[in-house]
Amino acid sequence: MLKLMLMKVAMAHWQDRISPVFDVADHLLLLDVEGRREIDRKSLRLTGRNPFERVKELSELGVNVLLCGAISLTLEKALIGAGIRVVGFLGGELENVIQAFLEGSLGDGRVRNAGRIGTQPGMSTAKATSTAKARKPGPREHDLRR
């Protein structure tokens, strides 16, 4: 008989939405998932502030997958190095992201942010791209570019 593996999925959230930037998020929703079914969930407060504290915190929680909004390259690489799969640049209502993850449809565009830097609600990807190119990045913003 095939045994389903229990997976811990973490999502940084703010006001019932995916947090815009994981690096500075305070709240984490931790789901226990078996197959395509949510078994348990708990909300926690993140305390780590630098990338390595964040990685340690998620590792100690046993997180396998992080679903998040924007994330710095340094933090993303550190999480991947710790064996945590990162699915970044997601946006939208928390419950929609959870449903899309459980259905295996995160890549269908329903919960992806249209642009990365300079995107505002209602702004097209083309306009966001031209806006990002037209201005110089602020301090630390270069970390978010890919």
Side-chain angles (χ1 to χ4, degrees):
M1 176 169 249
L2 183 65
K3 184 176 179 176
L4 295 175
M5 189 174 102
L6 184 65
M7 179 183 344
K8 289 201 181 276
V9 180
M11 288 168 278
H13 63 93
W14 177 71
Q15 295 184 354
D16 297 324
R17 298 182 63 81
I18 287 290
S19 217
V21 181
F22 178 70
D23 299 57
V24 295
D26 289 329
H27 302 284
L28 190 73
L29 182 66
L30 190 60
L31 300 179
D32 288 335
V33 175
E34 189 174 56
R36 295 193 183 270
R37 226 171 34 120
E38 179 184 335
I39 304 299
D40 190 28
R41 76 169 57 186
K42 55 186 124 181
S43 191
L44 309 164
R45 189 156 175 84
L46 288 167
T47 58
R49 290 293 164 223
N50 73 51
F52 303 104
E53 289 172 344
R54 290 264 158 144
V55 171
K56 182 179 180 201
E57 198 168 0
L58 267 62
S59 291
E60 288 175 351
L61 290 169
V63 171
N64 304 103
V65 178
L66 172 67
L67 307 177
C68 61
I71 184 169
S72 67
L73 188 56
T74 301
L75 183 50
E76 181 180 28
K77 283 183 175 183
L79 287 164
I80 292 168
I84 298 171
R85 182 174 167 224
V86 177
V87 182
F89 298 97
L90 299 174
E93 299 291 327
L94 203 53
E95 293 303 322
N96 292 342
V97 175
I98 293 168
Q99 190 62 38
F101 177 79
L102 293 174
E103 292 171 356
S105 61
L106 280 176
D108 73 1
R110 288 185 297 162
V111 296
R112 287 271 176 203
N113 282 334
R116 293 184 177 181
I117 302 295
T119 302
Q120 299 167 1
M123 182 184 284
S124 71
T125 304
K127 179 157 170 88
T129 303
S130 67
T131 300
K133 286 179 185 173
R135 62 182 176 81
K136 293 182 182 176
R140 303 197 71 221
E141 190 174 311
H142 66 279
D143 287 348
L144 297 176
R145 294 185 188 256
R146 297 258 165 140

